[in-house]
Amino acid sequence: MSACGRSRVLKSKVKFGLALALPVAALATPVSAANPEPPAELAPIPVSLLVDLGSGQVLEQRHPDTPFLPASVTKVMTAYVAFEEIAAGRLSLDRVFQERPETEKEWFAKGTNMYLTVKDRPTTRDLLHGILTQSANDACVVLAEGYAGSVPEWTAKMNDAARRLGMTLSHYNTPNGWMDEGHTYVTARDMVRLADAMITRHPKLYREFSGHKRWYWKGVAGEVHMRSHDPIIGVVPGADGIKTGYTREAGYNFVGTAERNGRRLVMVLAGSPTTPVRDKAARALIEWGFSAWTPRHLFDKGQPVAKAQVQDGDALTVPLVANREVHATLPKDSQRKISLSVHYRGPLVAPIRKGDKIADLTIQVQGLEPGQVPLFAGRDVGKAGTLDRLWNGLITLFS
């Protein structure tokens, strides 16, 4: 179990509430009721998924790993790549862009638009508002060409980001989701991974650019009143994004999220036959997720969950923490056994940086599929010096 590269599992059998590594609600009570039935409004929609990010548990799913055409939902990845570049200091929100003449010719008034011209000087901030509020096709291309040099160079960044996020069944060939003979495709499970990363890794940027019902852009062609088609913003309490999409081939899609009392749900709907069907299903599903299910608190954000062994470090272990409040999700008014386990490839080898993704916490609620929450290094662990090795050897010898 100590060999480098082997998967290590830490399990807890203690009762929920003890302030040690892995508290577990070891309730002997049998499952008291059937799992909640999803809302009937979902019936006409072929692909659906609802996930509680605080537990990683899937509350509802239908074909979550079947690839579908995302249409403008593609723009979530374009925004995410921009967020990554901004966070890395390579792209400023105040950077000014200029559209190429050939881009204006191809994309002016093509689908939803900011109506950009070569005379306009939009900033990164302007373009991101256009992308996430108006779903502006031209804004995506101007950002892609202006920053990466070309659309293929930008989509390479999109696919690299997808790979790093574990979006193994998705591929991007366009920055805006315009029809491309099926070369751009995603899955519902992959889109939840992307939404999770956008919200948890870039919370300030997410709040700045997502969740606006209206935004205004004043360009050379005049003032453009940008309006979001998000069916739950301003309707469902706590709703704050993310993106709708539609083409004739794709149908009506939606990736949406809402947060209440620190609990965040993410949903994906794909292939809906009409706007009203999608919108009613979205509202019904997110409300069902909050009303039919209840959280059982486990750990606060940043609270140590467990410790992982470290080789060749100035410490023998590193604390594992979550980047969110962690809970188990149970059917409302039910009492069920909860088991927790931590999985990581170890022992880990120093150096380790605070914030490195180290492990996963698996949350198993009786009668439900397990959920997983990522765990990160809670501190830096440097390379061991001579004295560190001597001290660690003595600790190991007498432990």
Side-chain angles (χ1 to χ4, degrees):
M1 210 50 176
S2 61
C4 184
R6 291 188 66 182
S7 177
R8 298 184 65 84
V9 181
L10 305 177
K11 295 185 178 180
S12 172
K13 298 299 182 183
V14 298
K15 291 187 177 181
F16 175 83
L18 294 181
L20 292 175
L22 293 177
V24 177
L27 300 173
T29 307
V31 176
S32 57
N35 295 329
E37 285 291 329
E41 289 87 345
L42 289 177
I45 300 178
V47 175
S48 60
L49 183 63
L50 180 66
V51 177
D52 188 326
L53 293 189
S55 65
Q57 290 173 242
V58 173
L59 308 184
E60 191 280 334
Q61 62 181 330
R62 183 181 298 174
H63 305 301
D65 298 310
T66 298
F68 63 86
L69 303 178
S72 286
V73 168
T74 301
K75 293 162 184 163
V76 180
M77 180 56 90
T78 284
Y80 177 76
V81 170
F83 288 2
E84 290 277 278
E85 297 302 302
I86 292 165
R90 294 186 289 264
L91 175 61
S92 166
L93 284 170
D94 297 319
R95 174 172 170 173
V96 175
F97 288 77
Q98 183 175 3
E99 187 174 33
R100 297 174 179 178
E102 56 269 34
T103 303
E104 178 186 349
K105 182 178 180 180
E106 180 179 357
W107 288 101
F108 187 85
K110 189 174 182 179
T112 50
N113 228 259
M114 279 181 73
Y115 302 98
L116 294 168
T117 73
V118 294
K119 296 180 180 179
D120 286 310
R121 299 295 183 270
T123 63
T124 306
R125 181 177 280 107
D126 296 326
L127 295 175
L128 284 172
H129 278 301
I131 291 167
L132 285 178
T133 300
Q134 175 74 347
S135 190
N137 291 316
D138 55 348
C140 293
V141 179
V142 169
L143 176 62
E145 293 179 338
Y147 182 76
S150 69
V151 165
E153 289 294 324
W154 179 265
T155 55
K157 291 182 178 294
M158 296 171 74
N159 287 312
D160 181 61
R163 178 188 57 78
R164 287 183 282 109
L165 292 174
M167 298 172 63
T168 57
L169 297 176
S170 297
H171 181 265
Y172 294 95
N173 185 60
T174 167
N176 55 21
W178 194 260
M179 294 162 284
D180 65 352
E181 299 181 343
H183 294 294
T184 297
Y185 52 87
V186 299
T187 68
R189 202 182 307 276
D190 281 352
M191 288 309 302
V192 169
R193 289 189 180 97
L194 176 57
D196 187 359
M198 175 179 277
I199 293 164
T200 57
R201 297 188 188 189
H202 306 290
K204 291 183 179 179
L205 291 168
Y206 176 76
R207 287 193 296 270
E208 180 172 354
F209 294 105
S210 183
H212 298 285
K213 199 67 178 174
R214 291 177 175 79
W215 200 262
Y216 296 90
W217 153 250
K218 191 171 184 179
V220 172
E223 186 173 79
V224 178
H225 176 198
M226 299 190 288
R227 183 174 66 87
S228 170
H229 296 284
D230 189 301
I232 63 175
I233 292 175
V235 177
V236 173
D240 58 7
I242 300 178
K243 193 74 195 66
T244 58
Y246 166 75
T247 63
R248 288 187 301 274
E249 292 83 356
Y252 294 86
N253 302 335
F254 180 49
V255 177
T257 181
E259 183 179 33
R260 295 182 191 172
N261 300 317
R263 181 180 174 218
R264 182 173 287 280
L265 306 181
V266 174
M267 79 171 96
V268 180
L269 302 174
S272 176
T274 68
T275 302
V277 168
R278 178 197 64 190
D279 294 357
K280 289 178 182 178
R283 294 163 189 162
L285 182 59
I286 201 79
E287 289 289 5
W288 173 82
F290 283 113
S291 63
W293 302 83
T294 188
R296 178 75 58 82
H297 177 77
L298 297 174
F299 303 99
D300 293 327
K301 179 180 178 179
Q303 179 184 349
V305 173
K307 293 180 180 180
Q309 295 179 2
V310 179
Q311 274 187 349
D312 298 329
D314 57 14
L316 290 171
T317 62
V318 61
L320 303 178
V321 303
N323 64 350
R324 66 199 72 189
E325 183 271 341
V326 179
H327 53 258
T329 308
L330 292 77
K332 189 176 181 180
D333 299 325
S334 71
Q335 291 186 332
R336 302 192 182 189
K337 181 179 178 181
I338 302 169
S339 301
L340 307 181
S341 57
V342 171
H343 302 256
Y344 69 96
R345 304 288 295 182
L348 308 171
V349 179
I352 297 170
R353 292 185 303 171
K354 181 179 180 180
D356 285 349
K357 170 42 168 75
I358 298 293
D360 290 294
L361 172 66
T362 297
I363 302 171
Q364 178 69 69
V365 176
Q366 184 181 8
L368 301 173
E369 291 187 13
Q372 284 195 329
V373 174
L375 297 178
F376 303 85
R379 52 158 289 187
D380 292 331
V381 179
K383 269 285 190 184
T386 303
L387 291 177
D388 292 319
R389 290 192 182 94
L390 178 61
W391 179 249
N392 291 342
L394 289 171
I395 292 174
T396 302
L397 179 63
F398 292 103
S399 63

